[in-house]
Amino acid sequence: MSPEEWMAVALAEADAAAALGEVPVGCVVVSAEGSVLGRGHNLRERDQDPTAHAEMVAIRAASEATRSWRLEGATAYVTLEPCVMCAGALVHARVERVVYGCDDPKGGALFTLYQVGADARLNHRLDVIRGVEAEACAARLRAFFMRLRAQGKK
């Protein structure tokens, strides 16, 4: 499948998050051979867990499926640029590549605020591709936050 097709899978996860009232971020981790290892969407509110970001959920599922914390050769497709926590987890999991949709000006850790995946001081680096289906990813976030504001919530 193409990066755009995999991002559509991640966007479906983002839609699942939105249906639960979660910030619509989705992630799918794909093996080098092209099979889904894990998928996830934000579950912070449901689980009351600050680590329940889409990437963390997907990484845990992929590690469980492979019975390994090493996700070498895998690609993570995520709708929003990963935060510091998620970027660090992707590095520690030895994911090969991260493809993300829209930049995160308030917390992006692969391009916008930090470049965690390119830091030579770490023992692993990530190939990063940004901007795949960026408008579709950003549109979901804008719509979600517009609804929250209309309801008088932040």
Side-chain angles (χ1 to χ4, degrees):
M1 288 179 32
S2 71
E4 293 78 14
E5 290 169 312
W6 283 120
M7 192 60 72
V9 176
L11 282 164
E13 288 294 327
D15 292 341
L20 296 172
E22 299 277 353
V23 176
V25 178
C27 180
V28 61
V29 178
V30 179
S31 73
E33 296 75 36
S35 62
V36 174
L37 299 175
R39 60 179 69 212
H41 52 268
N42 277 358
L43 294 171
R44 289 190 319 169
E45 296 297 331
R46 186 197 76 180
D47 294 353
Q48 289 300 294
D49 178 355
T51 70
H53 289 199
E55 300 94 324
M56 301 297 284
V57 173
I59 290 168
R60 287 181 189 123
S63 293
E64 186 175 323
T66 61
R67 297 177 186 242
S68 177
W69 61 267
R70 290 179 182 90
L71 300 176
E72 294 166 341
T75 299
Y77 295 87
V78 61
T79 58
L80 178 65
E81 180 182 5
C83 70
V84 172
M85 173 183 68
C86 294
L90 290 158
V91 167
H92 286 297
R94 309 294 196 271
V95 168
E96 182 174 331
R97 179 177 303 105
V98 177
V99 178
Y100 73 86
C102 57
D103 292 337
D104 182 354
K106 294 183 178 182
L110 292 182
F111 176 79
T112 307
L113 298 178
Y114 307 99
Q115 294 79 42
V116 171
D119 194 322
R121 295 170 295 180
L122 300 175
N123 63 343
H124 178 74
R125 274 159 291 298
L126 306 167
D127 292 333
V128 177
I129 299 170
R130 60 190 272 265
V132 174
E133 299 296 327
E135 183 50 39
C137 296
R140 281 173 172 77
L141 290 162
R142 279 193 304 271
F144 177 81
F145 287 110
M146 282 178 61
R147 279 192 304 275
L148 278 185
R149 286 197 274 308
Q151 296 168 357
K153 300 176 184 175
K154 279 191 173 183

